[in-house]
Amino acid sequence: MEKKDIKSLTLTELKAEMAALGEKPFRAVQLYEWMHRKLARGYEEMRNIPAAMKTKCGESYHYTVLKTVAVQESAIDGTKKYLFALSDGNMVESVWMRYKHGNSVCISSQVGCRMGCRFCASTLDGLVRNLSASEMLDQIYAITLETGERVSNVVVMGSGEPLDNYENVLRFITMLTDENGLHMSQRNVTVSTCGIVPKMRELAKEKLQITLALSLHAATDEKRRKLMPIANQFTLAELMDCCAYYFEQTGRRITFEYSLVRNVNDTRKDAETLAALIRGLNCHVNLIPVNPVRERDYVQSERQAVEAFAALLAKKGINATVRREMGRDIDGACGQLRRRFLDNSSAGENLSVN
Ligand code: SAH
């Protein structure tokens, strides 16, 4: 039988597990604190835990740790991109960004992705597997240890579709915001989805104070279907209803992500259609010039088109910002570093990063 993953257990679950092993409840509290507050990379660091208990835990559970395979640092803005190896050798990417209001980490929620968005590098080889809660937490823990700085914001916007790994992502949020762990505020957590309507509705019912970002990228069903296969399953009308429901349930305004692709979704007409689509919704629009991916032929919108698009939304009273591109010089787009690494290592070359 596969061993249980000890770092994916909530404190309540850990207490029950320790009781079953014949340990006192305070031992579970100590253990949890080592794992999720002191960010121990193994039992050997846990000074106040008896050796016999460490041995028992080692035999009964799997303890996840990430291995840093590569780090790229942007010469432009100090953004760092990490490539981590998981225990089974699979690799995921995370990004660390420094903003005026604090440090932000963008984590992956799956190895690969099965959503198939046309402009995205993460999905080119499909889904390999879901990440566990501990593997998502570990990305933040590893970066905190490596930078020596507190992470104040987390965005689940790396590789993978978080709502396609719903249970683990929810568990991850619970543990990340738990007062016995890093105790991050829910308001500082953003989950980005391509728009799996039933899961968005389920999430709304949790009434979390996180921000939900919806990757829209087009304002008509026809255009969206060309960019995102998920649009064949859910119409924009269904999505907009769902966003209104999300706001109603949580009181949290939705963020719409809109990647601007030259001559595909960046015209004045596109901006007008978008404004009409989201009018009346309590929302914010993030405009992102698309990150070119080697395997795809999408091109970034011209600066002028981006500005005109933003200006038109503003004129219609829609809150919009053009997202500053971070780490443009370091394989910025989701999944690009991992792909480059996999490509190069299978070709027997050494990738030199750092
Ligand atoms: N699956 C989730 C989260 C991961 S993608 C989602 O779809 O939202 C995070 C964001 O990056 C999404 O808005 C996605 O559409 C966008 N994205 C992916 N590839 C991109 C690229 N090459 N350029 C710009 N944005 C991209």
Side-chain angles (χ1 to χ4, degrees):
M1 203 179 78
E2 211 176 297
K3 286 183 187 176
K4 270 191 196 160
D5 166 11
I6 194 165
K7 277 169 75 178
S8 286
L9 300 172
T10 62
L11 181 57
T12 312
E13 290 166 344
L14 190 63
K15 280 182 179 163
E17 291 281 331
M18 288 304 112
L21 287 183
E23 298 290 348
K24 299 244 163 46
F26 82 93
R27 291 293 183 198
V29 175
Q30 286 179 323
L31 197 54
Y32 197 90
E33 187 174 38
W34 276 111
M35 293 190 287
H36 301 289
R37 201 181 285 172
K38 298 180 184 160
L39 316 184
R41 296 177 56 88
Y43 298 112
E44 63 286 352
E45 292 178 26
M46 304 179 182
R47 288 184 308 275
N48 57 358
I49 306 280
M53 178 176 158
K54 290 184 196 173
T55 310
K56 244 191 303 188
C57 287
E59 285 163 2
S60 313
Y61 306 99
H62 171 61
Y63 196 106
T64 59
V65 245
L66 302 181
K67 214 174 97 206
T68 306
V69 178
V71 187
Q72 289 179 314
E73 183 165 357
S74 164
I76 305 172
D77 53 36
T79 293
K80 286 186 181 183
K81 189 149 196 176
Y82 292 83
L83 183 67
F84 293 120
L86 309 166
S87 322
D88 63 359
N90 274 306
M91 284 191 250
V92 291
E93 290 176 25
S94 324
V95 186
W96 181 82
M97 291 156 286
R98 183 183 260 138
Y99 291 102
K100 272 190 236 96
H101 58 267
N103 301 321
S104 193
V105 167
C106 172
I107 67 150
S108 294
S109 56
Q110 296 179 314
V111 181
C113 183
R114 59 182 181 139
M115 295 298 132
C117 299
R118 301 277 180 255
F119 43 80
C120 180
S122 304
T123 199
L124 290 166
D125 298 319
L127 176 68
V128 179
R129 70 168 174 89
N130 282 331
L131 294 190
S132 62
S134 65
E135 288 169 331
M136 289 181 254
L137 292 168
D138 276 344
Q139 297 171 56
I140 299 158
Y141 297 176
I143 291 177
T144 304
L145 291 171
E146 205 269 339
T147 58
E149 291 186 33
R150 222 177 83 87
V151 171
S152 48
N153 289 277
V154 168
V155 296
V156 188
M157 270 193 196
S159 294
E161 166 50 46
L163 299 190
D164 189 36
N165 182 16
Y166 187 85
E167 297 298 326
N168 291 345
V169 166
L170 211 59
R171 177 175 282 271
F172 157 76
I173 296 169
T174 307
M175 294 177 74
L176 180 66
T177 55
D178 181 7
E179 59 179 357
N180 298 291
L182 288 188
H183 200 188
M184 196 168 285
S185 157
Q186 285 184 3
R187 289 173 174 264
N188 294 347
V189 179
T190 297
V191 171
S192 178
T193 179
C194 63
I196 305 178
V197 168
K199 291 291 173 193
M200 289 167 69
R201 287 189 174 266
E202 211 177 318
L203 185 64
K205 291 188 196 123
E206 299 285 341
K207 299 193 190 292
L208 300 177
Q209 288 301 293
I210 61 169
T211 299
L212 183 65
L214 173 67
S215 300
L216 204 51
H217 306 320
T220 66
D221 284 316
E222 195 195 347
K223 270 197 188 183
R224 197 163 185 265
R225 284 179 192 137
K226 289 204 179 110
L227 294 171
M228 307 174 72
I230 191 75
N232 292 303
Q233 282 184 53
F234 308 106
T235 62
L236 283 169
E238 284 172 287
L239 263 179
M240 293 307 118
D241 268 2
C242 180
C243 289
Y245 177 74
Y246 191 89
F247 178 73
E248 207 180 282
Q249 289 293 307
T250 62
R252 299 288 292 164
R253 123 187 135 159
I254 301 269
T255 296
F256 290 118
E257 306 279 317
Y258 195 103
S259 296
L260 289 157
V261 189
R262 191 182 299 183
N263 301 331
V264 172
N265 63 1
D266 69 345
T267 63
R268 186 186 169 83
K269 177 101 181 69
D270 289 313
E272 280 168 355
T273 315
L274 175 63
L277 178 74
I278 62 180
R279 184 174 305 140
L281 273 176
N282 212 316
C283 66
H284 179 92
V285 178
N286 254 333
L287 298 170
I288 315 138
V290 79
N291 244 312
V293 172
R294 199 173 55 187
E295 293 79 357
R296 306 289 198 216
D297 51 8
Y298 292 118
V299 182
Q300 271 194 359
S301 301
E302 319 239 25
R303 188 142 207 103
Q304 232 180 341
V306 176
E307 276 160 20
F309 202 100
L312 192 135
L313 292 181
K315 209 178 97 199
K316 302 267 180 187
I318 291 166
N319 214 312
T321 42
V322 179
R323 192 150 81 197
R324 206 153 51 97
E325 280 174 275
M326 302 288 277
R328 208 154 22 99
D329 51 335
I330 53 163
D331 294 314
C334 308
Q336 288 197 149
L337 174 59
R338 171 170 167 266
R339 279 194 67 75
R340 189 147 77 85
F341 199 85
L342 293 178
D343 285 355
N344 286 357
S345 45
S346 59
E349 290 170 37
N350 279 324
L351 173 69
S352 125
V353 280
N354 244 323

